[in-house]
Amino acid sequence: MFSQITWINGASKYIGLVTFATLLVMVNNDNWKLNWTPKSLCRWMVYFDALAFVCVYVGQSLTTDATSCETTNLYYVIGDGIWSLKDACKYAFIVHKSCVIANAHVRQRKRLTFVSATCSLLIYWIYMYGAYSFVAPCPGNMEGVVWPQALLYAFWTFVEISASVVVLRKFYSIIAQLKDADMEHAQYRMVKVREEFRLLISCTLMVVVTVFQVARALNPMLTEVRIAPIVFVYVQLLLVLGSQMDPGMQSRETQQLSDSIRKAGNDLARASNHKISTMPEGLCQQRRRSGSQPANLP
């Protein structure tokens, strides 16, 4: 068991490679451009994460055991400051997407997105203030106080559970709607289900991790398993893939699917009408007598 924990803790040192791979996925899918819309929050998240990893890796390369704790802490403070922006974007994006799925009003959607980002930032900064100090031996400004870290992970857990509940309720309503839906509507809803399923998987994985982090913050005697960074970077990849077809903003793929289904249906209807119009009169009369009269025949 301890060998697996050691392997996980060692692997967590290289998770920045997953973030850089996510950047390549964004570029390959032409999903790298930034703007100030909520949909772009997912891209800001990846850029901030990559920048934070660069700062931390540079700091680890330039510092040694002989480097003063003030200098070492400086690199980590810069990295954590950027990561605080990354997490604010991530949870704001999750809240925005959940509100869209729940058909929340635009004003309410913007308000909740802003509140979630602000709360995540403020709690993260309080945690950083308690964890870092620049006076040797750098014990931190709130030594022995763990409530900021526990509060931060508890807030993230609340957001993740709320988003999961919203998605599960939407799944239930979709299942009920698909029973009587036509082919085009059913295909469109399945595309939306795929988008929302990514969000559900992401939130479920993060709930497990954040609950464990809260427990460990309150009880430091628990064995340290650095699984959280590994889960977070892979969850970000799922969110990036899902952000390409944001609910409420019909994507190019969804639009093309709907157009192709509609075109196929129209072609089928025209072919059926043409076949009926060129049918011999005797066969038309036989159909009328047998009760299989076409809708466009008298």
Side-chain angles (χ1 to χ4, degrees):
M1 179 65 181
F2 288 101
S3 61
Q4 286 87 347
I5 294 176
T6 303
W7 182 88
I8 292 174
N9 292 342
S12 66
K13 299 178 182 179
Y14 307 101
I15 55 175
L17 297 176
V18 180
T19 296
F20 300 137
T22 304
L23 274 175
L24 295 179
V25 171
M26 290 168 53
V27 173
N28 180 70
N29 294 342
D30 196 23
N31 193 33
W32 56 272
K33 297 179 182 179
L34 294 174
N35 52 51
W36 299 107
T37 62
K39 185 179 180 180
S40 187
L41 286 170
C42 200
R43 302 167 204 161
W44 284 103
M45 170 192 70
V46 177
Y47 286 124
F48 281 136
D49 198 32
L51 181 59
F53 274 119
V54 169
C55 293
V56 171
Y57 289 158
V58 169
Q60 291 175 347
S61 301
L62 297 180
T63 57
T64 63
D65 294 337
T67 306
S68 65
C69 65
E70 295 93 334
T71 304
T72 302
N73 276 0
L74 178 62
Y75 290 107
Y76 284 102
V77 166
I78 295 174
D80 263 327
I82 300 173
W83 270 321
S84 69
L85 297 173
K86 181 266 294 185
D87 286 317
C89 291
K90 177 171 67 176
Y91 285 95
F93 177 77
I94 291 175
V95 170
H96 161 74
K97 200 161 188 177
S98 302
C99 290
V100 173
I101 292 173
N103 294 323
H105 191 272
V106 175
R107 182 177 299 177
Q108 183 181 11
R109 190 187 311 166
K110 292 181 179 179
R111 186 181 299 118
L112 290 175
T113 302
F114 175 78
V115 169
S116 63
T118 304
C119 290
S120 180
L121 270 179
L122 291 179
I123 301 174
Y124 205 123
W125 289 345
I126 294 173
Y127 161 68
M128 290 175 55
Y129 172 79
Y132 296 105
S133 64
F134 295 94
V135 178
C138 307
N141 294 309
M142 301 170 65
E143 186 178 7
V145 179
V146 298
W147 66 265
Q149 184 181 10
L151 181 61
L152 178 64
Y153 282 108
F155 173 74
W156 289 348
T157 303
F158 170 75
V159 174
E160 293 153 5
I161 292 177
S162 301
S164 300
V165 171
V166 169
V167 175
L168 287 174
R169 289 187 61 184
K170 189 60 177 290
F171 279 172
Y172 179 80
S173 64
I174 288 175
I175 292 174
Q177 294 173 6
L178 288 179
K179 294 179 180 178
D180 302 320
D182 55 18
M183 182 180 66
E184 178 181 347
H185 181 71
Q187 291 284 350
Y188 177 77
R189 293 310 305 164
M190 292 307 298
V191 171
K192 309 298 278 185
V193 165
R194 185 179 62 183
E195 303 167 17
E196 294 155 8
F197 185 70
R198 288 195 186 106
L199 179 61
L200 179 62
I201 292 296
S202 302
C203 291
T204 303
L205 291 174
M206 290 192 295
V207 163
V208 175
V209 170
T210 52
V211 167
F212 177 78
Q213 292 299 116
V214 170
R216 191 177 184 282
L218 298 176
N219 184 12
M221 299 301 294
L222 292 176
T223 304
E224 181 182 12
V225 182
R226 292 184 55 80
I227 192 67
I230 298 176
V231 172
F232 283 170
V233 291
Y234 281 104
V235 161
Q236 289 169 188
L237 177 58
L238 283 176
L239 293 177
V240 167
L241 295 175
S243 70
Q244 298 178 99
M245 294 184 296
D246 195 16
M249 305 176 186
Q250 192 175 35
S251 65
R252 182 169 50 191
E253 179 181 340
T254 304
Q255 182 66 47
Q256 290 175 348
L257 176 62
S258 299
D259 292 343
S260 61
I261 293 174
R262 187 180 298 107
K263 183 176 183 298
N266 293 337
D267 292 343
L268 181 62
R270 283 195 296 268
S272 176
N273 291 336
H274 176 72
K275 181 179 179 180
I276 292 173
S277 63
T278 58
M279 194 179 300
E281 182 65 22
L283 184 56
C284 290
Q285 293 174 352
Q286 292 175 13
R287 280 201 169 190
R288 189 182 301 113
R289 286 195 297 270
S290 62
S292 58
Q293 176 180 339
N296 63 336
L297 293 179

